[in-house]
Structure formats: C-alpha cells, structure tokens
Amino acid sequence: DTGVSQDPRHKITKRGQNVTFRCDPISEHNRLYWYRQTLGQGPEFLTYFQNEAQLEKSRLLSDRFSAERPKGSFSTLEIQRTEQGDSAMYLCASDLVLRGYTFGSGTRLTVV
Amino acid sequence: RKEVEQDPGPFNVPEGATVAFNCTYSNSASQSFFWYRQDCRKEPKLLMSVYSSGNEDGRFTAQLNRASQYISLLIRDSKLSDSATYLCVVNLYNTNAGKSTFGDGTTLTVKP
C-alpha cells in the first residue's frame, strides 16, 4: 500500500459543470477526511467518515457538495454547479486513532 | 478571531540557527495537537504530535501550554531542508476524531 491516492490530480472545468473526485485511503485506515486548501491558507475541514458513515460535515459546505464512502473503502466528493469560488486544492486524508493524518497529493480544481 | 492562529512569517534564518514558532488556539476544550510541515505545492505531512508533557524528535521539540492555550515548535541546528511551511493543528477529541482545525502556517526559509 503506497499511501492515499487521489484522482484526478488536476481538473479544469467550466462554471456550472459538475465534478467528481475520488480518494483511495490507506487500506487499514477506517477514518477518511476531505479538506480544501486555497493559497496562503491552511486546509479547511469539509467532511469526515468513519467506515461508511459520514459522521461530520462542515457548516461551510453548501448543498452543492456531497461526499460518499460506499462500503467504507474509497470515497468520492462531488461538486454540483461549480462556481469560481470552488477553485482550490481538495485534499483527502486517512488516519488511525492518534496517528495523525496521511494526506493524498490532492486534486487541484480550477473553475473557469 | 481565527480558531488557530500562527505568525505567517516568513522566518528567514541561517543554517545552524535555532528557530521557534508559536501557535495559539481559542477553544480551551481542545484535546489533541499536531505540527505538520508542507512543502511548496505539496500535501501536508505529519511532523509530530504534541503531548502535554512536551516531546522531542531529533532536532524538533514541541511544547503544549494549556493554561495559555498555545503550542510551540522549536527547531535546532536548522538545515536547508527544513525550509517549508509549518502548520499547527488542533482537535477537540483525544482520539483526534472528526474536524481538525489548521492554522494558516508559518513559513520558514533556511539560508546557507
């Protein structure tokens, strides 16, 4: 297992289009997180899964954002009707209790 | 006021110098604390957890002051490879579950 994988690495989309990102966590990690990061800022929490259950979702996350983790393995993050303000790096992380996060390399989204 | 605040720097130090960063957090109920480093255009990577008793890992020492609600990171004998952005991270649970709050980072540049 080589770590957390995210796909795609880069995505350019037109405003109003839907996009979906995938994250494959480290296999033995049952906790999975999505964060968003813009230039000069720290990562901002979006949502958290333990196994297949979505246990926490940021109040900042509009209803255009949805995340799933079917069967407690990989996860997808979908953004509907993208806006320019959605342009950011979307980071997935997984962890075990008290071990700290292992992040994927991220998906850089550009909305034009 | 941000939940986690860091001096953005940049800190520019010569090789071999000792440098210290502080981070303050607003929620006194916070239970777990971490330092991550992030290289330019890369994902954050766990540097170390911060324990109540303080902890050391080679040239790096982390301290927690619950009364004053700050954590610190000390880097001794700085190397060129220490140049990065250092992110302070705070979580409400001692299991580090759910949302973690990241600071915006302190940038360190170590010069020859």
Side-chain angles (χ1 to χ4, degrees):
Chain A
D1 194 314
T2 56
V4 179
S5 298
Q6 291 190 245
D7 185 68
R9 292 292 302 274
H10 303 276
K11 179 70 177 180
I12 300 174
T13 191
K14 291 184 178 179
R15 187 162 48 98
Q17 297 294 304
N18 299 344
V19 294
T20 300
F21 310 142
R22 176 180 172 122
C23 171
D24 288 88
I26 293 173
S27 56
E28 58 265 32
H29 289 184
N30 63 346
R31 309 195 310 190
L32 184 147
Y33 308 78
W34 285 97
Y35 281 81
R36 174 173 65 189
Q37 186 174 26
T38 54
L39 195 63
Q41 307 288 315
E44 175 187 41
F45 173 80
L46 295 179
T47 191
Y48 157 59
F49 291 85
Q50 181 152 336
N51 300 312
E52 67 274 12
Q54 187 175 21
L55 296 184
E56 191 171 353
K57 187 174 175 180
S58 170
R59 288 172 295 170
L60 301 175
L61 214 59
S62 77
D63 57 8
R64 296 185 299 106
F65 287 72
S66 63
E68 294 183 339
R69 192 182 182 196
K71 302 178 183 178
S73 55
F74 71 93
S75 175
T76 58
L77 177 68
E78 181 183 17
I79 309 173
Q80 296 182 327
R81 305 181 303 281
T82 51
E83 302 173 356
Q84 286 191 319
D86 297 331
S87 295
M89 176 73 84
Y90 289 83
L91 293 163
C92 177
S94 67
D95 78 340
L96 292 171
V97 174
L98 297 179
R99 298 289 181 90
Y101 294 155
T102 300
F103 281 95
S105 299
T107 294
R108 184 171 297 281
L109 173 66
T110 303
V111 181
V112 298
Chain B
R1 181 188 173 192
K2 289 196 169 190
E3 292 180 58
V4 177
E5 296 204 59
Q6 296 183 249
D7 180 347
F11 285 63
N12 298 306
V13 303
E15 269 187 294
T18 296
V19 61
F21 310 135
N22 282 340
C23 163
T24 58
Y25 59 95
S26 60
N27 192 333
S28 59
S30 299
Q31 296 291 329
S32 53
F33 309 89
F34 302 86
W35 283 101
Y36 284 72
R37 72 168 277 166
Q38 186 170 27
D39 294 296
C40 188
R41 303 186 72 82
K42 297 283 192 179
E43 73 275 17
K45 293 188 177 177
L46 178 67
L47 181 64
M48 58 199 306
S49 304
V50 186
Y51 304 125
S52 296
S53 55
N55 49 301
E56 187 173 310
D57 182 3
R59 297 181 294 108
F60 298 84
T61 300
Q63 297 279 353
L64 168 63
N65 185 318
R66 287 188 184 273
S68 300
Q69 293 179 212
Y70 78 83
I71 66 175
S72 64
L73 178 67
L74 181 77
I75 305 175
R76 291 181 298 278
D77 187 24
S78 299
K79 312 290 185 190
L80 296 177
S81 58
D82 294 334
S83 297
T85 296
Y86 291 84
L87 299 164
C88 166
V89 185
V90 173
N91 188 286
L92 282 179
Y93 301 101
N94 58 11
T95 58
N96 190 35
K99 172 187 172 183
S100 286
T101 302
F102 284 72
D104 289 335
T106 297
T107 299
L108 171 66
T109 301
V110 181
K111 300 190 173 182

